[in-house]
Amino acid sequence: MKFGKEFVSQMVPEWQAAYMDYISLKTFLKEINRLKPKYRQPDSPTRLQRALSLYRGFSGLIQGQNQRASSFDDDDVENQDILVNSVQGNGSRKYETTFLMAADEGAEYEQAFFRKLDNELNKVDKFYRSKVKEVVAEAETLTKQMDALIAFRIKAEKVEVEFNFSASSDIDRSYIHCFICGNDSHECITKCVGATELDNEQSNYIGQEIQEENPENVASIISLASQEVLNHVKLNQAIQVPSRPAKVNCVSINKQAQMNFTKDNLKKIQKLLKQAFIEFYYKLLLLKNYSFLNVLAFCKIMKKYDKITSRKVSKYYMRTVDDSYLGNSNEVIKLMQRVEVTYIKHFSNSNRSKGMNMLRPKSKKERHIITFCTGFFVGCTAALILALILIIHARDILNKEGRAQYMESMFPLYSLFGFIVLHMLMYSANIYFWKRYRVNYSFIFGFKQGTELGFREVLLLSFALATLALTSVISNLDMEMDPKTGDYQALTELIPLILVMLLTIVLLCPFNILYRSSRFFLLTALFHCICAPLYKVKFQDFFLADQFTSEVQAFRSMEYYICHYGWGDYKHRQNTCRTNDVFNTFYFIIAVIPYWSRLLQCVRRFHDEKDPMQGYNALKYFLTIVAVCTRTAYGLDKGTGWRALAWTFSAMAAIYGTYWDLVFDWGLLQRPSKNRWLRDKLLIPYKSVYFGAMILNVLLRFAWLQTVLNLNLSLHKEKLTAIVAILEIIRRGIWNFFRLENEHLNNVGKFRAFKSVPLPFNYDEDEDRSD
């Protein structure tokens, strides 16, 4: 793979604009190469110099400690074709390159190349400096959190022994201060023992004394951490009182007596801090990778420049890059080392392999068995569809007397699986295109690293379910009752219910099989949707609620399951569900629940964020609720008044929803943007895709028209209802891609590549500063 593609593939998607513009610089070099082919010097002197270098004196394997391989003499500097100056301005350092060979042919293009190169170096260096400043500030916050944790641990574990030691501060507490200390171990030891000045011999003596003492006597030279910090912190109420999920703000607890020093609370605090350290280590890892990739990109582009122009300026310019904050700063590496030591000591029981395994991000492994099983179930699905078509044609089922009864009683049962499979197929397609266009969907949804499902896994589950559903359909294609018993076979009639129960058991299975982490993630988001507005609304919560608004017919099918098998005569395929008042009442309620849950989420977000747009969004779902109710009422009672109301509210909801989809959810229809009627940044290079998606969204939004136009289509009512539901699921699948694309571009614009992790303690001064 070429470096350009590898460089792009290794980028943090949200920081893409902050990386060196390697492609643009390569374009400059191609232009220089095109305009200056005849001025290139021959390669023979270079080969001759390389050959003569074999006869020079050997410089030795060991260089000076402070000597860098990229350094060269002042005479070499005087012979360079460029001069790089460091300029201090606006509180930051900038680099400016002067091209000294301005009299050469085509020099203006090389000057433009170096101007662009300097701009990229300044941009990258400034961004890296700002991010390092952020992580150092976060390291200080974590240090204070560790101080509070150690004091809380002493209280919770009831450690009452006082250890005698001459120093005023303890090793444990000072050791945490070394977490952000940039000095050597001698200075850290100085802090550990609380002395103002210690020489190397004294610090070595202390370390030797600690190691040589017997284990039972080691405690005698270590004092307990100060518990005074507990008088200045506030405990997160989510830890203190877990039974009230609606309030997650910190509550004032100024006295130690007001804290509940239990081991359960200690475990919760440690869990939060473990997650905070893991996320912080991930930030440091990305920053380290950012620095390495950009330095490598500068090296690559300068080598290409030397090759094209036959100049020798790459070493000189790379010395500037190495001297910059980007190439010379080691704060990130030091912080990584201190995070590793702290995490291993306090959160993994000094087990390094276990601690590092938890700190390092887990990469997702692609398994060939997934591809094989997916192909197998795809083949099974295709074969079963073909077999179903042949059976229907061979038995002439479409002309049987029991066909109408089958459509009324059995088709709604099996259509549920069709809706679920189609939605999963659309989601797998979304994942494929999100990955292709580098949409960081796992970060947006908040998946745990290494546990997110890829499109292959979703396809596997989709076609496995499709295989089971089609098998049950083929096994239950009887259109006539058994003449001997006078009913249908009970076992085959129960197959749909058995399959639903099987899916429920798999979803709720507590064992670590069939993607347990993803199932629990789904159940958690589902629980938050049901309990809205009690919990703070996250992206995955309202995204799932939006999916449910497109599965209204699936929820109605589940209602029909309860009625058909609970109160109907399933052996004779007879029930009174359609004429039952209770069933019709719940027919309204079931359709409203997804929109009502989404409305409550908007109300909660309006309360938390004070964003008026959430109020307008709630109004959209309120109109949709009224439209769904009026259309449902018109479907049950064909009255003129219900038809007028259905027309009015459905049109208002469809127009409002379409405008909201295109403008706010997708971020399109921005007239002043450089891509007219779209937006400034587009991940898909073809604008026609966006216009086509907008037109398709409008058409599918108005699929409800069939319910009020009374179209005389030669289709059964259940078929028509299923087709409209399928169109809505397809519309939702298209909406999903552009919704996450817009969210990803918002994250890119804010360079937001990390999720915020709640901390267990809140210091008084932090709250005063926020006030």
Side-chain angles (χ1 to χ4, degrees):
M1 181 183 293
K2 291 186 177 180
F3 175 75
K5 293 183 178 179
E6 181 68 22
F7 183 56
V8 172
S9 66
Q10 295 293 331
M11 287 181 180
V12 179
E14 289 77 11
W15 293 352
Q16 192 166 359
Y19 283 82
M20 190 192 85
D21 194 351
Y22 186 79
I23 303 299
S24 177
L25 289 170
K26 278 188 66 176
T27 304
F28 274 94
L29 293 182
K30 289 179 181 179
E31 190 69 16
I32 294 173
N33 188 38
R34 185 180 65 85
L35 296 174
K36 292 188 59 178
K38 59 183 179 180
Y39 300 105
R40 189 183 304 166
Q41 298 178 2
D43 292 339
S44 55
T46 303
R47 293 197 191 99
L48 179 60
Q49 291 176 4
R50 188 182 303 116
L52 292 176
S53 66
L54 298 175
Y55 304 102
R56 292 177 181 171
F58 184 57
S59 58
L61 296 176
I62 302 176
Q63 296 181 341
Q65 188 174 5
N66 297 324
Q67 183 179 355
R68 292 179 302 186
S70 60
S71 301
F72 40 87
D73 299 333
D74 293 337
D75 295 337
D76 295 328
V77 175
E78 294 177 358
N79 296 328
Q80 291 300 315
D81 297 331
I82 61 172
L83 179 63
V84 183
N85 295 318
S86 176
V87 180
Q88 196 76 18
N90 297 327
S92 61
R93 175 181 296 182
K94 293 185 178 181
Y95 298 94
E96 296 179 357
T97 302
T98 304
F99 186 66
L100 303 178
M101 310 301 291
D104 291 357
E105 292 290 338
E108 61 274 10
Y109 296 100
E110 297 187 48
Q111 289 176 338
F113 168 79
F114 281 107
R115 280 196 298 270
K116 176 67 175 177
L117 190 66
D118 291 338
N119 291 336
E120 294 301 313
L121 177 59
N122 293 328
K123 176 189 73 174
V124 170
D125 188 74
K126 180 180 178 181
F127 179 81
Y128 183 72
R129 189 186 298 269
S130 65
K131 289 299 176 182
V132 171
K133 185 178 180 180
E134 290 178 9
V135 296
V136 169
E138 188 170 350
E140 294 176 355
T141 302
L142 288 177
T143 300
K144 295 164 67 176
Q145 293 287 321
M146 288 300 299
D147 286 338
L149 169 64
I150 294 173
F152 193 95
R153 181 184 292 159
I154 294 172
K155 283 284 189 179
E157 296 180 354
K158 299 179 180 179
V159 180
E160 299 178 355
V161 180
E162 294 293 338
F163 302 114
N164 296 322
F165 190 61
S166 59
S168 59
S169 62
D170 63 287
I171 291 178
D172 251 347
R173 186 175 183 275
S174 303
Y175 172 75
I176 305 303
H177 286 292
C178 295
F179 169 63
I180 59 167
C181 176
N183 300 324
D184 56 17
S185 59
H186 166 62
E187 294 184 2
C188 289
I189 292 175
T190 303
K191 286 187 177 182
C192 287
V193 298
T196 56
E197 290 185 1
L198 282 179
D199 56 16
N200 290 330
E201 293 182 0
Q202 289 175 317
S203 61
N204 292 334
Y205 168 76
I206 292 172
Q208 184 178 1
E209 183 182 4
I210 293 174
Q211 293 177 358
E212 291 179 354
E213 287 285 345
N214 294 328
E216 59 271 14
N217 295 329
V218 172
S220 63
I221 64 167
I222 300 177
S223 62
L224 290 178
S226 173
Q227 301 172 37
E228 180 67 21
V229 66
L230 295 177
N231 293 326
H232 306 286
V233 299
K234 299 174 182 180
L235 192 61
N236 193 318
Q237 187 173 350
I239 298 174
Q240 188 82 345
V241 188
S243 61
R244 299 175 63 185
K247 298 181 180 180
V248 295
N249 295 327
C250 292
V251 179
S252 178
I253 304 174
N254 295 322
K255 297 181 180 180
Q256 294 187 27
Q258 293 176 313
M259 281 192 177
N260 190 8
F261 296 103
T262 63
K263 291 188 177 181
D264 289 337
N265 284 345
L266 178 61
K267 289 180 180 179
K268 294 176 183 178
I269 292 171
Q270 289 177 335
K271 182 179 179 181
L272 286 178
L273 279 179
K274 283 174 66 175
Q275 187 60 37
F277 268 88
I278 291 173
E279 190 66 23
F280 182 64
Y281 189 79
Y282 180 62
K283 295 179 185 180
L284 298 175
L285 203 60
L286 291 186
L287 272 176
K288 179 183 176 182
N289 185 60
Y290 175 85
S291 173
F292 171 77
L293 279 179
N294 280 285
V295 171
L296 183 60
F298 279 107
C299 181
K300 290 284 186 181
I301 204 68
M302 290 308 300
K303 286 184 177 180
K304 287 182 178 292
Y305 175 82
D306 283 357
K307 182 178 179 181
I308 289 174
T309 61
S310 299
R311 304 186 190 276
K312 298 179 181 180
V313 300
S314 60
K315 288 186 177 181
Y316 181 63
Y317 197 89
M318 285 309 300
R319 188 175 71 168
T320 302
V321 174
D322 291 338
D323 289 338
S324 67
Y325 191 84
L326 176 71
N328 193 33
S329 174
N330 61 351
E331 278 97 339
V332 172
I333 296 176
K334 287 185 177 181
L335 280 174
M336 289 181 68
Q337 293 172 351
R338 285 161 176 76
V339 169
E340 292 172 2
V341 173
T342 304
Y343 189 89
I344 291 169
K345 176 182 178 181
H346 290 276
F347 301 112
S348 65
N349 199 21
S350 298
N351 188 332
R352 179 170 179 80
S353 60
K354 177 183 176 182
M356 294 306 299
N357 186 47
M358 297 176 67
L359 275 178
R360 290 169 181 154
K362 298 175 179 60
S363 59
K364 186 175 175 57
K365 296 181 180 179
E366 298 292 341
R367 299 180 179 179
H368 296 295
I369 189 64
I370 300 296
T371 305
F372 171 78
C373 293
T374 302
F376 173 76
F377 284 115
V378 168
C380 291
T381 302
L384 289 171
I385 292 175
L386 180 60
L388 181 61
I389 295 173
L390 294 177
I391 291 173
I392 293 175
H393 180 73
R395 296 183 184 179
D396 196 19
I397 291 177
L398 297 179
N399 297 322
K400 292 290 183 67
E401 294 181 359
R403 171 180 171 273
Q405 186 181 17
Y406 185 90
M407 292 299 299
E408 289 287 343
S409 61
M410 301 303 296
F411 186 81
L413 300 177
Y414 288 112
S415 62
L416 171 65
F417 304 110
F419 300 146
I420 297 175
V421 169
L422 178 60
H423 212 137
M424 293 175 68
L425 290 175
M426 295 300 297
Y427 181 64
S428 64
N430 291 147
I431 294 176
Y432 173 79
F433 286 107
W434 287 334
K435 281 192 172 183
R436 179 175 179 179
Y437 293 105
R438 293 182 56 77
V439 175
N440 196 356
Y441 72 96
S442 59
F443 167 71
I444 295 174
F445 286 132
F447 291 134
K448 188 178 179 181
Q449 289 180 358
T451 62
E452 70 277 6
L453 296 182
F455 72 94
R456 291 183 179 87
E457 288 81 4
V458 179
L459 281 177
L460 171 62
L461 297 175
S462 304
F463 284 109
L465 179 58
T467 300
L468 293 175
L470 287 170
T471 303
S472 63
V473 169
I474 292 176
S475 64
N476 194 15
L477 276 179
D478 296 329
M479 297 296 156
E480 297 177 356
M481 290 185 290
D482 190 349
K484 295 181 180 180
T485 60
D487 55 16
Y488 296 95
Q489 295 183 11
L491 179 61
T492 57
E493 295 301 312
L494 288 173
I495 287 179
L497 180 61
I498 294 173
L499 190 53
V500 169
M501 294 176 63
L502 177 63
L503 291 179
T504 306
I505 292 173
V506 171
L507 183 62
L508 301 177
C509 178
F511 302 109
N512 192 14
I513 58 174
L514 291 176
Y515 311 112
R516 183 179 64 175
S517 59
S518 297
R519 288 189 286 110
F520 283 12
F521 184 88
L522 174 62
L523 291 174
T524 302
L526 176 61
F527 180 74
H528 290 172
C529 292
I530 296 173
C531 296
L534 299 179
Y535 287 87
K536 184 177 180 180
V537 182
K538 299 180 181 179
F539 184 90
Q540 60 268 25
D541 299 333
F542 68 76
F543 185 85
L544 181 62
D546 280 326
Q547 307 309 303
F548 288 154
T549 59
S550 296
E551 288 284 4
V552 171
Q553 199 57 40
F555 286 109
R556 284 174 168 172
S557 296
M558 295 174 67
E559 178 196 6
Y560 181 76
Y561 265 90
I562 298 173
C563 179
H564 179 74
Y565 287 104
W567 290 274
D569 186 3
Y570 67 89
K571 292 183 179 180
H572 295 86
R573 293 181 181 173
Q574 295 177 357
N575 58 69
T576 59
C577 296
R578 308 297 181 185
T579 58
N580 189 288
D581 293 336
V582 176
F583 180 86
N584 291 332
T585 302
F586 277 94
Y587 203 68
F588 281 87
I589 297 174
I590 290 296
V592 167
I593 287 176
Y595 298 103
W596 181 252
S597 174
R598 192 66 187 89
L599 185 148
L600 293 179
Q601 288 180 341
C602 293
V603 172
R604 176 59 191 262
R605 293 188 67 187
F606 177 77
H607 175 269
D608 292 342
E609 303 172 10
K610 303 297 185 292
D611 184 5
M613 298 306 298
Q614 297 301 325
Y616 300 137
N617 199 15
L619 178 61
K620 179 189 73 172
Y621 289 104
F622 176 77
L623 287 176
T624 307
I625 289 173
V626 178
V628 170
C629 291
T630 53
R631 288 202 303 266
T632 304
Y634 175 71
L636 297 175
D637 182 13
K638 303 288 185 178
T640 306
W642 284 119
R643 184 178 184 180
L645 290 174
W647 260 107
T648 303
F649 286 104
S650 296
M652 291 173 60
I655 294 172
Y656 197 167
T658 301
Y659 179 79
W660 194 276
D661 286 347
L662 302 182
V663 176
F664 297 102
D665 289 340
W666 293 3
L668 303 177
L669 294 181
Q670 296 181 8
R671 189 173 181 180
S673 67
K674 62 181 181 181
N675 300 308
R676 191 171 179 82
W677 298 112
L678 299 177
R679 63 171 106 85
D680 291 336
K681 294 182 179 180
L682 302 174
L683 295 184
I684 302 177
Y686 308 105
K687 298 180 182 179
S688 58
V689 173
Y690 293 91
F691 290 109
M694 287 192 289
I695 295 173
L696 195 58
N697 184 75
V698 173
L699 295 177
L700 295 179
R701 268 280 186 183
F702 286 86
W704 53 267
L705 287 172
Q706 54 83 28
T707 60
V708 294
L709 291 178
N710 293 328
L711 299 176
N712 294 323
L713 301 175
S714 57
L715 292 174
H716 194 276
K717 179 182 177 181
E718 294 295 337
K719 282 186 179 179
L720 188 59
T721 303
I723 291 174
V724 174
I726 288 172
L727 293 177
E728 172 59 21
I729 293 173
I730 293 174
R731 186 197 71 83
R732 180 60 63 184
I734 298 172
W735 179 91
N736 288 344
F737 175 82
F738 295 101
R739 177 65 183 89
L740 251 74
E741 180 200 25
N742 188 40
E743 185 70 19
H744 172 74
L745 291 176
N746 290 335
N747 291 340
V748 170
K750 300 176 183 178
F751 300 107
R752 187 167 51 202
F754 313 112
K755 60 184 178 181
S756 58
V757 180
L759 297 175
F761 299 104
N762 187 24
Y763 278 73
D764 294 340
E765 60 268 22
D766 295 337
E767 189 173 83
D768 295 339
R769 189 161 49 247
S770 63
D771 293 340

